[in-house]
Amino acid sequence: MDFTDDLNQCLQALREGQLVGIPGRAGWMLAGNAADGQVMSVLMGIWQENFFAADENLRPVILIADERDLLQYVSALDLAVFDWMDRQEDTVAVWFDGIVGLPDCLLTEKGAVAISLARDDFNFHLIKRFRHPLAVFPVDRNLLPGLARFVTREHTMALKAGFDCKYSLID
């Protein structure tokens, strides 16, 4: 399979409400439609059963294609975040509150969620064509076939396992 075949297989599975295994700059991730409450209930159930005990702070991250997507999901957004995110070299997830349009099960008790930009071609094109953000969390590649309907080939060089989470943008 090539890039386009993997992209189409992921799109089909995501449109059918399934989870997929995707590679990204933060490593291998289990992903699902972040805007679909039923899919997110399944994803959060897998996270709680398998990963919550290891690190309860390692929550799923919302993966978006570009900064403009923040305007759809974050109310009262400080526009300085666009420049700040553009300057980041690493794969960074930023915690935002005032979240709208995403299922409550993704939010912390304070109503926050971590959001990251897709910084690789595969996930950028996947999210753009799917037209919804993805909720993702890092998973060992060997576990993905039992958790996801479809697992892509590696289309990007995984830099590390996980996201660097930033809790505030401006000191």
Side-chain angles (χ1 to χ4, degrees), residues 25-26 84-94 116-119 159-160 162-166:
R25 288 184 61 188
W84 185 87
M85 289 180 94
D86 271 344
R87 290 190 309 267
Q88 303 309 302
E89 298 276 332
D90 291 330
T91 304
V92 176
V94 180
S116 182
L117 294 173
R119 292 199 178 260
L159 297 178
K160 59 184 173 180
F163 294 88
D164 288 332
C165 286
K166 304 292 183 185

Side-chain angles (χ1 to χ4, degrees), residues 101-115:
L102 295 176
D104 289 341
C105 65
L106 289 172
L107 309 179
T108 65
E109 295 103 26
K110 296 180 182 180
V113 69
I115 300 176

Side-chain angles (χ1 to χ4, degrees), residues 1-2 35 38 47 65-66 101 114 116 120 127 131 134 150 158 169:
M1 258 191 253
D2 66 6
Q38 289 181 321
W47 173 74
D66 57 45
S116 182
D120 64 277
I127 294 165
R131 297 185 180 174
L134 299 177
F150 178 75
L169 295 175

Side-chain angles (χ1 to χ4, degrees), residues 124-138:
F124 175 82
H125 289 289
L126 178 62
I127 294 165
K128 278 295 200 185
R129 286 184 57 190
F130 186 51
R131 297 185 180 174
H132 296 288
L134 299 177
V136 302
F137 62 88

Side-chain angles (χ1 to χ4, degrees), residues 1 3-22 31-33 122-134 149-152:
M1 258 191 253
F3 184 95
T4 303
D5 291 336
D6 277 357
L7 194 62
N8 288 333
Q9 293 269 358
C10 279
L11 286 167
Q12 180 179 347
L14 290 167
R15 288 178 180 137
E16 293 173 1
Q18 303 294 317
L19 301 176
V20 295
I22 56 175
N33 181 355
F122 184 81
N123 289 311
F124 175 82
H125 289 289
L126 178 62
I127 294 165
K128 278 295 200 185
R129 286 184 57 190
F130 186 51
R131 297 185 180 174
H132 296 288
L134 299 177
R149 175 167 164 226
F150 178 75
V151 179
T152 72

